[in-house]
């Protein structure tokens, strides 16, 4: 059971990429004191956990509503994860999270940054949601809902620990250290992406 738990938690935590998101979190909470920064991190992680749990509970209904099969979702998830990995390697630019300077100023000025863009799409983004949906639908794993919920909770707690300690982590690692960890996470995520594509193709060709 412990092996299955870590097998769920680690990929989910990697996709959430809390270390890579540290600079953005610090920039968005720059005008806040330490207590307020911790509150923003807690609200963001709590909201992200709720979003992922919702998809974990309603995954069957979501896929049935759109008539999507698990192989298609695996293949799409693999491509999404690979794009994330390329972004971690800085081989392609990350997407813009704001559509206008006015929206950016508003987001930086208000505490709702905990919900958007921190909770979603940074923590509970398309990659994390896809991963939870695939796990929830995979008949070969038969993952108990309690185990999936525990993995989501553990990953969100891990992200919170990183964000809450963001100033100390930035000072300890520096820009170079954060970049190295982000690239190592990108390598692991690229491997996960390829495994998703292989599994999806195997199901299609079976």
């Amino acid at each position: 059971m412990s092996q299955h738990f870590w097998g769920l938690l680690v990929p989910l935590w990697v996709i959430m990429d809390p270390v890579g998101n540290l600079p953005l979190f610090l920039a968005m909470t720059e005008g806040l004191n330490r207590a307020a920064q911790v509150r923003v991190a807690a609200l963001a992680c709590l909201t992200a956990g709720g979003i992922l749990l919702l998809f974990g509970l309603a995954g069957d209904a979501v896929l049935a509503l759109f008539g999507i099969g698990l192989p298609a979702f695996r293949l799409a998830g693999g491509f999404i994860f690979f794009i994330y990995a390329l972004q971690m390697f800085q081989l392609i630019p990350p997407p813009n999270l704001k559509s206008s300077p006015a929206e950016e100023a508003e987001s930086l000025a208000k505490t709702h940054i905990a919900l958007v863009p921190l909770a979603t799409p940074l923590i509970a983004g398309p990659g994390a949601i896809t991963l939870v949906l695939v796990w929830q639908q995979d008949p070969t794993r038969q993952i108990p809902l309690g185990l999936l919920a525990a993995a989501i909770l553990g990953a969100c707690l891990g992200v919170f620990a990183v964000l809450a300690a963001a100033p100390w982590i930035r000072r300890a690692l520096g820009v170079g250290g954060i970049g190295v960890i982000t690239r190592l996470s990108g390598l692991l995520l690229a491997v996960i992406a390829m495994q998703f594509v292989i599994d999806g193709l195997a199901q299609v060709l079976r």
Side-chain angles (χ1 to χ4, degrees), residues 70-84:
L70 183 60
F73 221 85
R74 280 190 178 279
L75 290 171
F79 287 119
I80 290 173
F81 299 159
F82 194 70
I83 291 173
Y84 274 46

Side-chain angles (χ1 to χ4, degrees), residues 6-57:
W6 289 107
L8 297 175
L9 185 146
V10 172
L12 186 57
W13 193 83
V14 168
I15 290 172
M16 290 176 171
D17 190 24
V19 177
N21 288 325
L22 271 184
L24 185 58
F25 172 77
L26 289 170
M28 289 186 167
T29 59
E30 187 176 4
L32 303 178
N33 58 36
R34 282 293 303 135
Q37 280 185 327
V38 172
R39 283 197 299 272
V40 168
L43 180 58
C45 292
L46 183 64
T47 303
I51 292 171
L52 295 178
L53 283 173
L54 177 63
F55 278 95
L57 289 169

Side-chain angles (χ1 to χ4, degrees), residues 117-198:
L118 291 179
T120 183
L122 287 181
I123 301 175
I129 291 171
T130 299
L131 192 59
V132 169
L133 279 173
V134 169
W135 283 338
Q136 195 261 1
Q137 284 286 306
D138 192 346
T140 63
R141 292 190 177 216
Q142 294 293 313
I143 299 172
L145 181 60
L147 182 61
L148 180 59
I152 292 172
L153 177 61
C156 289
L157 286 174
V159 173
F160 170 72
V162 172
L163 296 183
W168 295 284
I169 293 175
R170 180 175 61 177
R171 282 197 294 268
L173 296 179
V175 175
I178 290 175
V180 169
I181 293 177
T182 300
R183 284 166 177 76
L184 289 175
S185 298
L187 177 60
L188 179 57
L189 186 56
V191 174
I192 294 172
M194 290 302 98
Q195 188 61 57
F196 263 63
V197 171
I198 290 171

Side-chain angles (χ1 to χ4, degrees), residues 84-123:
Y84 274 46
L86 292 178
Q87 290 172 356
M88 289 179 178
F89 279 112
Q90 296 185 351
L91 296 177
I92 60 175
N96 291 324
L97 296 177
K98 313 290 189 305
S99 60
S100 70
E103 288 177 337
E104 182 174 355
E106 181 183 15
S107 180
L108 289 171
K110 297 184 178 179
T111 57
H112 66 220
I113 58 172
L115 306 180
V116 179
L118 291 179
T120 183
L122 287 181
I123 301 175

